Amino acid sequence: FSDPFLNRRRANDFIQSDSRLRGIAQERIRERSKAPQEYQRELCEDYYPCEMYAFRHGYAAAYKHYFGRRRTK
């Protein structure tokens, strides 16, 4: 075998199809369950005043300032 390059069909034979599908399924699961910090950051990015506050003070402080629980008596 002197040619180091393979055609597309032969190259795809090296990868098992279920391992590819399993990887895709795992990626979809990771997309569905976001970390709380990522969810908070996205929520803050959608609200312009929160985003501007985040540039100066950070996203954790901005989220707490705009969306934190407000206690009422």
Side-chain angles (χ1 to χ4, degrees), residues 10-58:
R10 293 275 306 165
N12 287 335
D13 289 342
F14 288 106
I15 299 173
Q16 299 295 327
S17 63
D18 20 323
S19 65
R20 276 189 287 178
L21 293 176
R22 194 175 313 127
I24 291 170
Q26 289 295 325
E27 183 64 30
R28 295 290 179 245
I29 290 170
R30 281 191 291 271
E31 286 176 3
R32 267 189 266 146
S33 57
K34 293 181 180 178
Q37 294 86 2
E38 186 177 357
Y39 175 74
Q40 290 173 358
R41 182 178 178 136
E42 288 178 356
L43 189 62
C44 191
E45 285 175 346
D46 290 339
Y47 185 54
Y48 185 74
C50 183
E51 187 176 23
M52 291 295 106
Y53 191 91
F55 285 143
R56 182 166 289 191
H57 302 286

Side-chain angles (χ1 to χ4, degrees), residues 56-73:
R56 182 166 289 191
H57 302 286
Y59 279 99
Y63 181 84
K64 188 175 182 180
H65 180 77
Y66 284 99
F67 301 107
R69 292 186 181 190
R70 310 241 167 125
R71 295 183 183 174
T72 57
K73 292 184 177 181

